[in-house]
């Protein structure tokens, strides 16, 4: 049942009484009391959460904060994999399902914690037998199969630093990550199933590895049986190596600040940033948020539909749920294979209780039609989640009604690759949900909205979202680039973390996230830098200059529109348009292919030669330009572009 907020006309959905009755955080009073205490003494809150994990040696100091560099639980020794696997496999959860997996063709597998332990031990031995050791960087480029999680956990177990590259990225993107991370090994597969076909993965790895030249070992999982070229100097089959390896492995203890993984994400320059996360603090953040935000119970069947190639897959498929001893569902393929009923059929068949997905997927389901969910029994669901972009109220309401049957709270979780874990979200048994707001900060998270001068904004005034106190799962640095780390996140307001998002806080204290303030697009919940797309375009021989901007899109949230000025001697054509799209796909990956390509004889520039993207954005969003254009060098450019867009 929804009520309506008096100050604004947003419907309010209080948590269902039966949900609150058994929730860890059962009321707003309880949330507020615990939140206030956690902000008064964040170290005490986080230390209590970390204390629920298994430490080989206790920490001597909770936080060492040399702004902007944090060290959490210093002196403590921990093995992240042991916490996610051994702790459960060696106890009463041994025979509990850890991962229930379904391949796109319909094949199924269940790994209990005991079986997961065996797989991880074997693979940790494989890594060590191939001379991998603590601190080595390993690229993982895999489909959504249990072995992707096994590979990550085995790296964590031996202290190797994984860097997962989403399977939709190109070989050039793999190469960039190999080079930036200085990786010595790659774990990949022959391919994965997507929309009824095998998508090969190994050829992209082969190309990148050949160009890079510093890889000692490529370990290849046979998933689809498609033909792959094996290089005898470097390549080994996963199944052969694992069969020869012992099923036991003793995990070493690592410093709490030992690097766990690097995950590359887009920023405002052409070069993706290697976001570094470390061990004890990251695990504490993902463990605690999973426990409270999803209010996880031993009997839950949890399903996060993200890919392990993104931070959501790291924090809320691998580390958070497994640290909680959860049972989770993992799915390999596309949501619309064989049709848009796939997810709902899986929820029905596996009796999923907690479902976590992205607004872009919800919008695609709305478009596909209500009859898909209506044809399935979704009564097992008790909690829904959303992540990746602001959820528009229409999508929220549909999700609540058609998937949640009007009875499930929805946790709209705001966070980032850099934050490692959820920072703003409802507590499902306590917080009244309002479609479109991520509501309140998590315990220990001191979030605020500031104006450009650094003053706190008044209620409902738009500003910049900042976090004022360090938290354990925060990124420690940009790999190899501490200066960029300082400049990007810590220089707008000294001492405060700038998220790069615009937001406002209503008079009830709810955070409404508006979107990125920098040159980063959010396409289907994925981050893409406009500069990355531009540099991909100008690497094509026909392109003199390019500018990329986002425009609203009903399904993707944002679509990519680019303006391209051709070099002399090249002419506009549909064929060239197609070629440029494919070129961007080749350089970055299919997710970055522009939706609209406008050929432009000139781009709007300031007198100093800077492209005025603001104007281009207004043009693609509204078809006209109303803002201040006094700094524009050549006014005629606008009229020409306006004509182009109109056609
Ligand atoms: O703009 C915010 C948006 O996604 C950005 C982070 O992207 P990424 O690092 O790829 O991580 C995505 C998954 C955590 C943020 O800066 N974003 C993420 N979640 C939300 C959101 N915007 C609004 N509401 C959300 N719940």
């Amino acid at each position: 049942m929804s009520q309506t907020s008096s100050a604004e006309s947003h419907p309010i959905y209080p948590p269902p009484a039966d949900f609150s009755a058994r929730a860890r955080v059962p009321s707003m009073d309880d949330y507020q009391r615990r939140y206030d205490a956690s902000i008064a003494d964040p170290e005490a809150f986080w230390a209590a959460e970390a204390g629920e994990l298994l430490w080989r040696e206790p920490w001597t100091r909770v936080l060492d904060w040399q702004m902007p560099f944090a060290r959490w639980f210093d002196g403590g020794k921990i093995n992240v994999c042991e916490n996610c696997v051994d702790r459960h496999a060696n106890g009463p959860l041994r025979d509990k399902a850890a991962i229930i997996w379904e391949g796109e063709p319909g094949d199924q597998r269940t790994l209990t914690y005991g079986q997961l332990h065996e797989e991880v031990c074997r693979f940790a031995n494989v890594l060590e037998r191939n001379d991998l050791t603590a601190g080595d960087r390993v690229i993982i480029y895999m489909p959504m199969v249990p072995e992707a999680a096994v590979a990550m956990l085995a790296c964590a177990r031996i202290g190797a630093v994984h860097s997962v590259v989403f399977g939709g990225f190109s070989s050039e993107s793999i190469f960039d990550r190999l080079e930036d991370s200085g990786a010595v090994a790659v774990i990949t597969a022959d391919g994965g199933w997507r929309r009824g076909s095998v998508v090969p993965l190994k050829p992209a790895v082969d190309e990148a590895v050949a160009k890079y030249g510093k890889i000692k070992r490529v370990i290849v999982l046979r998933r689809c049986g498609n033909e792959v070229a094996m290089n005898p100097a470097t390549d080994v089959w996963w199944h052969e190596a694992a069969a020869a390896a012992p099923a036991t492995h003793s995990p070493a203890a690592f410093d709490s600040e030992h690097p766990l993984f690097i995950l590359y994400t887009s920023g405002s320059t052409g070069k993706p940033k290697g976001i570094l996360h470390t061990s004890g603090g990251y695990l504490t953040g993902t463990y605690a948020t999973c426990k409270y935000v999803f209010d996880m119970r031993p009997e839950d069947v949890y399903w996060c539909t993200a890919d392990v190639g993104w931070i959501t897959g790291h924090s809320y498929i691998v580390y958070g749920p497994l640290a909680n001893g959860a049972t989770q569902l993992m799915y390999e393929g596309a949501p619309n294979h064989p049709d848009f009923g796939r997810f709902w059929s899986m929820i029905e068949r596996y009796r999923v209780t907690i479902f976590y997905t992205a607004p872009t997927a919800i919008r695609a389901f709305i478009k596909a039609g209500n009859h898909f969910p209506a044809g399935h029994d979704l009564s097992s669901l008790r909690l829904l989640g959303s992540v990746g972009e602001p959820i528009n109220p229409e999508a929220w309401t549909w999700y609540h009604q058609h998937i949640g049957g009007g009875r499930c709270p929805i946790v709209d979780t705001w966070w980032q690759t850099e934050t490692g874990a959820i920072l703003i979200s409802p507590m499902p048994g306590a917080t009244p949900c309002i479609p479109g707001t991520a509501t309140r900060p998590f315990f220990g998270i001191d979030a605020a909205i500031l104006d450009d001068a650094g003053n706190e904004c008044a209620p409902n005034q738009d500003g910049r979202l900042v976090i004022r106190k360090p938290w354990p799962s925060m990124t420690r640095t940009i790999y190899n680039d501490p200066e960029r780390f300082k400049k990007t996140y810590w220089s707008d307001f000294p001492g405060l973390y700038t998220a790069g998002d615009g937001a406002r806080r209503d008079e009830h204290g709810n955070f409404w996230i508006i979107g990125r303030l920098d040159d980063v697009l959010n396409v289907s919940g994925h981050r893409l830098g406009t500069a990355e797309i531009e540099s991909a375009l100008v690497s094509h021989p026909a392109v003199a200059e390019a500018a990329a901007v986002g425009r609203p899109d009903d399904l993707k949230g944002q679509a990519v529109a680019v303006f391209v000025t051709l070099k002399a001697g090249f002419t506009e054509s549909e064929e060239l348009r197609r070629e440029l799209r494919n070129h961007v796909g080749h350089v970055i990956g299919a997710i970055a292919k522009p939706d609209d390509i406008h050929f432009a004889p000139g781009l709007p520039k300031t007198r100093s030669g800077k492209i005025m993207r603001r104007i281009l954005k207004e043009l693609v969003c509204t078809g006209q330009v109303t803002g201040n254009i006094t700094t524009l060098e050549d006014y005629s450019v606008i009229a020409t572009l306006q004509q182009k867009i109109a056609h």
Side-chain angles (χ1 to χ4, degrees):
M1 263 296 264
S2 79
Q3 303 160 1
T4 303
S5 141
S6 53
E8 298 163 38
S9 55
H10 296 295
I12 300 183
Y13 296 80
D18 57 340
F19 196 107
S20 303
R22 57 195 295 257
R24 284 191 179 81
V25 185
S27 68
M28 256 339 239
D29 283 350
D30 186 60
Y31 161 79
Q32 199 62 51
R33 189 180 47 76
R34 289 161 78 170
Y35 178 74
D36 292 346
S38 75
I39 292 302
D41 189 354
E43 292 183 29
F45 169 76
W46 292 117
E49 293 303 320
E52 294 182 12
L53 300 172
L54 177 66
W55 293 82
R56 293 287 195 80
E57 276 177 40
W59 59 84
T60 48
R61 191 165 180 191
V62 176
L63 170 65
D64 175 7
W65 180 227
Q66 312 279 338
M67 205 283 292
F69 299 105
R71 298 183 66 83
W72 282 87
F73 310 115
D74 236 357
K77 291 211 185 285
I78 192 166
N79 187 295
V80 169
C81 175
E82 181 177 32
N83 271 278
C84 294
V85 183
D86 304 46
R87 202 156 55 103
H88 313 308
N90 297 334
L93 302 188
R94 181 168 188 82
D95 296 324
K96 184 186 178 189
I99 298 176
I100 304 170
W101 173 80
E102 188 167 289
E104 198 188 68
D107 40 344
Q108 300 171 351
R109 245 173 97 194
T110 297
L111 288 177
T112 62
Y113 274 97
Q115 291 163 333
L116 179 64
H117 181 247
E118 191 179 316
E119 298 262 341
V120 168
C121 285
R122 277 190 202 283
F123 201 64
N125 285 316
V126 168
L127 296 178
E128 283 179 347
R129 287 177 169 199
N130 283 289
D131 291 336
L132 289 166
T133 176
D136 282 347
R137 273 82 61 213
V138 177
I139 297 282
I140 299 179
Y141 187 68
M142 292 189 76
M144 280 290 289
V145 290
E147 285 82 358
V150 169
M152 292 161 76
L153 290 162
C155 285
R157 191 174 188 88
I158 68 159
V161 184
H162 60 70
S163 184
V164 184
V165 180
F166 172 60
F169 278 121
S170 66
S171 82
E172 289 204 27
S173 292
I174 302 174
F175 170 77
D176 290 344
R177 286 150 177 77
L178 285 170
E179 228 184 22
D180 190 80
S181 67
V184 292
V186 180
I187 305 169
T188 188
D190 49 3
W193 287 96
R194 191 88 189 162
R195 290 201 181 88
S197 312
V198 173
V199 178
L201 292 171
K202 179 86 177 8
V205 169
D206 291 343
E207 209 180 298
V209 165
K211 188 168 164 196
Y212 175 60
K214 290 178 222 146
I215 283 297
K216 287 199 282 197
R217 198 57 81 218
V218 179
I219 304 174
V220 189
L221 179 79
R222 182 176 278 157
R223 158 65 186 135
C224 300
N226 51 313
E227 202 151 317
V228 296
M230 294 292 277
N231 177 349
T234 46
D235 301 358
V236 295
W237 283 108
W238 177 306
H239 59 273
E240 288 175 4
T248 55
H249 178 273
S250 141
F254 296 103
D255 288 341
S256 177
E257 282 299 334
H258 186 76
L260 180 63
F261 66 85
I262 303 167
L263 185 59
Y264 286 85
T265 191
S266 298
S268 49
T269 72
K271 189 173 173 278
K273 303 177 276 197
I275 299 299
L276 180 78
H277 283 287
T278 57
S279 303
Y282 173 79
L283 194 66
T284 301
T286 52
Y287 166 75
T289 48
C290 219
K291 185 178 69 173
Y292 289 109
V293 173
F294 298 118
D295 202 26
M296 267 186 184
R297 304 278 149 190
E299 64 278 13
D300 273 319
V301 179
Y302 161 89
W303 184 16
C304 166
T305 66
D307 190 284
V308 288
W310 309 111
I311 191 67
T312 308
H314 285 59
S315 300
Y316 298 107
I317 293 179
V318 180
Y319 294 109
L322 295 177
N324 276 278
T327 291
Q328 69 174 311
L329 183 60
M330 186 177 186
Y331 171 57
E332 176 185 36
N336 59 350
H337 188 82
D339 61 35
F340 272 101
R342 182 63 179 260
F343 278 14
W344 321 130
S345 146
M346 288 180 62
I347 290 175
E348 178 175 15
R349 284 184 286 117
Y350 297 102
R351 307 301 296 157
V352 172
T353 59
I354 305 174
F355 180 64
Y356 190 31
T357 195
T360 185
I362 297 167
R363 290 190 297 265
F365 293 129
I366 297 176
K367 194 165 167 230
N370 297 346
H371 57 289
F372 286 110
H376 295 279
D377 173 8
L378 305 180
S379 62
S380 56
L381 288 170
R382 66 179 195 93
L383 176 62
L384 303 175
S386 169
V387 60
E389 57 177 305
I391 178 164
N392 47 310
E394 299 71 33
W396 197 103
T397 311
W398 184 89
Y399 195 28
H400 186 256
Q401 201 181 332
H402 292 272
I403 307 306
R407 78 185 170 276
C408 305
I410 300 180
V411 287
D412 173 0
T413 60
W414 177 86
W415 59 295
Q416 309 176 294
T417 305
E418 294 86 340
T419 69
I422 295 166
L423 296 199
I424 303 180
S425 165
M427 290 288 185
T431 318
C433 291
I434 302 174
T437 164
T439 73
R440 306 298 176 94
F442 187 72
F443 299 139
I445 301 302
D446 184 11
I449 295 165
L450 305 185
D451 65 18
D452 289 347
N455 302 311
E456 200 156 350
C457 289
N460 295 313
Q461 185 192 341
D462 292 1
R464 294 167 186 272
L465 178 59
V466 299
I467 312 295
R468 294 186 288 207
K469 288 187 169 67
W471 65 101
S473 64
M474 64 199 287
T475 172
R476 297 302 190 261
T477 191
I478 294 175
Y479 194 68
N480 284 336
D481 205 346
E483 283 311 311
R484 189 175 176 194
F485 174 66
K486 282 190 207 165
K487 190 164 167 284
T488 310
Y489 306 108
W490 301 94
S491 62
D492 286 4
F493 309 108
L496 310 186
Y497 172 81
T498 312
D501 277 354
R504 76 178 85 91
R505 201 170 191 187
D506 67 22
E507 59 278 30
H508 309 292
N510 295 310
F511 284 81
W512 296 74
I513 311 295
I514 303 163
R516 301 290 310 181
L517 295 169
D518 52 10
D519 295 322
V520 171
L521 306 182
N522 191 329
V523 179
S524 302
H526 302 316
R527 259 161 84 164
L528 284 174
T530 51
E532 268 175 273
I533 300 168
E534 290 162 5
S535 83
L537 282 165
V538 296
S539 72
H540 187 279
V543 177
E545 203 166 36
V549 291
R551 67 155 170 81
D553 181 88
D554 284 348
L555 276 185
K556 299 173 163 189
Q558 275 190 306
V560 182
V562 301
F563 291 82
V564 171
T565 307
L566 296 177
K567 285 184 187 156
F570 290 90
T571 36
E572 304 173 9
S573 69
E574 269 317 306
E575 199 188 330
L576 183 56
R577 201 173 255 131
R578 252 195 316 276
E579 194 178 313
L580 292 177
R581 283 193 85 232
N582 290 336
H583 180 71
V584 176
H586 180 74
V587 174
I588 305 175
I591 49 166
K593 284 185 180 177
D595 296 273
D596 315 327
I597 297 187
H598 304 289
F599 290 113
L603 294 173
K605 290 188 185 160
T606 59
R607 285 179 195 101
S608 59
K610 225 176 141 205
I611 299 173
M612 295 176 77
R613 286 186 184 73
R614 171 177 63 76
I615 291 181
L616 296 173
K617 190 160 182 183
E618 205 184 340
L619 265 175
V620 296
C621 294
T622 67
Q624 40 191 320
V625 177
T626 54
N628 181 354
I629 54 165
T630 48
T631 52
L632 193 64
E633 175 215 32
D634 175 2
Y635 294 99
S636 69
V637 165
I638 302 243
T640 317
L641 290 180
Q642 237 161 344
Q643 272 177 0
K644 287 256 173 198
I645 300 248
H647 288 108

